[in-house]
Amino acid sequence: MLRHLKASMKLPVKPIGFDWHSWIGVYLGLMLFSICWSGAFAALSSEIDWLLMAESRVSAPDDKFDFSAAFGIVESTYRNAKIELAEAPENRFSAARFTVKMPNDARYFVYLDPATHEVTGSQSIFTVQRFFREFHEAFFGLYGVGKFLVCLFAIPLFLSMLSTFYFYKRWWQRFFQLRVGKTNISLWSSLHKLAGLWSLWFVLVMAITSAWYLFEEARYKLGDEKFALVDAYPLAVRQLPKPRDTGQKRLAVSDLIEIAQSERPDMKITTIQPDRGGFFYVIGQSDDVLVRDRANKLFINPFSGAIAFNQHADELITYWRWSETADILHFGTFAGLGSKIVWFVFGLVLAGLSLSGAWLYVQKQRNK
């Protein structure tokens, strides 16, 4: 009896951190896999659309894009349609994209070659990009709570990373340690640990940005329902009053674009919304680091040409500056295709870790 007691006392005891880590993997691993897998493809979804849709590609690269001329071409081609959004080419090999609303309320993407000034084609707005973004961000809405549910998984993601430091001793010395072992379980266990270590920075970025989205969603759904600093819609802290209709004729798009460029010569215009709560809305990139396009924006009165609001990213307070940065970090869009590929690879690694961790735990329990 005493001999058995001494033998049992010598058995290795796993710390509670391992139990947390295992519990998250077994019970929440499949959901984390779905989120990470869809997020990986969401990072490269624009490029997948580019590969699948010939109309979105251009054969003669052109660095220049004339928004004014493009508006005129699309308006003359789709006379009965309303242009809701105009987006400059994402790169030298992509067409410009216009979102148009037809008389029957159907919406389409219309593509225009910036070099030849020709409409290359159109298609439904439900693309590969839209599929993965809607699935990853909100499970296609899921009864109105989809986004909140996805954001909640920032908590188990962070706890999974934190628990690793608690039970994986001297982890900082094991970045190049791969033990093949005698069984498949030993090999996969070693691969799981190695991939997890190399993904720690990525998990931290995802956990922080996801936690921010959770806070934003909680503020929007449960708090003051504010999601922006200034806008023409009620979701903003400061809502711009709708421009008064004084009977003046609306200025031409070319004139409004010229006003925007004159007001913000530092900004490269990337997107134009002709009617955002009655305003001519322009966003783009300046010399700021790690901000999405709408960090720099203009609201122009389309009748008088007056600037209703002009936002500079470098003038934002810390809260709203971070709000404009989170998306860039979460989807890895800050360095073009190169950073997107890195985010895609590590997104797939996280998806694999979610499944492999649960599988390893189940296998080890079966072998006991």
Side-chain angles (χ1 to χ4, degrees):
M1 181 72 176
L2 185 60
R3 185 182 301 172
H4 288 297
L5 180 61
K6 289 181 178 180
S8 64
M9 292 176 64
K10 294 180 181 179
L11 291 174
V13 179
K14 290 290 185 182
I16 192 171
F18 181 78
D19 293 333
W20 295 348
H21 196 80
S22 302
W23 188 94
I24 292 170
V26 172
Y27 292 99
L28 303 177
L30 188 59
M31 187 69 83
L32 283 171
F33 167 80
S34 299
I35 295 172
C36 295
W37 174 83
S38 58
F41 281 93
L44 275 181
S45 55
S46 295
E47 285 67 27
I48 295 173
D49 276 337
W50 184 86
L51 289 172
L52 294 177
M53 298 181 296
E55 56 266 31
S56 68
R57 302 192 295 268
V58 297
S59 55
D62 193 345
D63 291 326
K64 297 180 180 179
F65 176 63
D66 187 345
F67 262 111
S68 300
F71 263 93
I73 294 166
V74 175
E75 287 174 339
S76 62
T77 305
Y78 296 87
R79 296 184 182 278
N80 297 322
K82 177 185 178 181
I83 297 177
E84 294 188 328
L85 204 67
E87 299 169 271
E90 196 167 322
N91 52 60
R92 295 175 62 243
F93 301 96
S94 297
R97 189 173 76 175
F98 283 70
T99 305
V100 301
K101 183 179 180 181
M102 307 303 289
N104 62 356
D105 289 339
R107 287 181 172 84
Y108 295 93
F109 285 145
V110 173
Y111 297 93
L112 182 137
D113 190 322
T116 64
H117 286 178
E118 294 179 353
V119 173
T120 58
S122 63
Q123 70 149 51
S124 165
I125 63 171
F126 191 69
T127 61
V128 170
Q129 180 194 35
R130 196 69 265 148
F131 172 86
F132 279 109
R133 286 296 178 97
E134 291 293 339
F135 180 72
H136 177 68
E137 292 178 5
F139 291 135
F140 301 113
L142 194 64
Y143 305 109
V145 298
K147 187 172 183 180
F148 199 82
L149 180 63
V150 170
C151 293
L152 274 174
F153 274 82
I155 298 173
L157 184 64
F158 179 76
L159 289 177
S160 181
M161 178 191 69
L162 194 63
S163 62
T164 303
F165 301 136
Y166 191 72
F167 74 85
Y168 197 35
K169 304 301 181 183
R170 296 187 299 278
W171 56 269
W172 57 89
Q173 299 177 353
R174 306 189 181 192
F175 278 89
F176 298 96
Q177 190 178 91
L178 177 63
R179 295 177 179 176
V180 177
K182 297 181 179 180
T183 64
N184 286 334
I185 294 179
S186 299
L187 174 61
W188 280 106
S189 178
S190 185
L191 283 172
H192 179 84
K193 294 172 183 176
L194 191 64
L197 286 177
W198 282 95
S199 302
L200 283 175
W201 68 272
F202 187 73
V203 176
L204 183 61
V205 172
M206 293 301 105
I208 291 174
T209 51
S210 298
W212 172 256
Y213 294 146
L214 177 61
F215 170 77
E216 281 189 323
E217 190 66 10
R219 177 181 180 178
Y220 180 66
K221 290 283 180 66
L222 308 175
D224 58 8
E225 298 183 348
K226 302 303 180 184
F227 211 75
L229 177 60
V230 178
D231 211 316
Y233 300 136
L235 55 77
V237 174
R238 176 191 165 195
Q239 182 183 359
L240 298 174
K242 189 173 182 178
R244 293 181 180 178
D245 187 358
T246 58
Q248 292 176 278
K249 185 179 179 182
R250 186 184 176 95
L251 295 174
V253 169
S254 57
D255 294 333
L256 291 167
I257 293 175
E258 188 175 342
I259 291 171
Q261 292 173 332
S262 176
E263 181 70 19
R264 290 293 301 271
D266 62 302
M267 183 172 69
K268 180 183 178 182
I269 299 175
T270 58
T271 305
I272 293 175
Q273 190 174 351
D275 183 6
R276 186 176 181 89
F279 292 97
F280 189 79
Y281 177 69
V282 178
I283 64 176
Q285 287 288 339
S286 185
D287 297 327
D288 310 286
V289 179
L290 291 178
V291 291
R292 56 190 172 188
D293 292 351
R294 63 175 179 261
N296 295 286
K297 57 188 176 184
L298 285 168
F299 287 87
I300 305 174
N301 187 315
F303 303 103
S304 66
I307 306 298
F309 181 71
N310 180 2
Q311 177 174 293
H312 292 256
D314 57 4
E315 296 177 357
L316 293 171
I317 62 174
T318 303
Y319 178 96
W320 294 109
R321 180 62 168 75
W322 166 250
S323 177
E324 303 296 350
T325 298
D327 270 4
I328 303 295
L329 293 176
H330 192 78
F331 289 102
T333 58
F334 55 87
L337 182 60
S339 58
K340 288 182 180 182
I341 291 175
V342 173
W343 258 238
F344 172 75
V345 171
F346 277 92
L348 290 182
V349 170
L350 284 196
L353 288 171
S354 301
L355 289 185
S356 62
W359 179 81
L360 285 168
Y361 183 79
V362 171
Q363 294 301 314
K364 289 179 179 179
Q365 294 303 312
R366 289 178 59 187
N367 292 338
K368 283 187 178 180

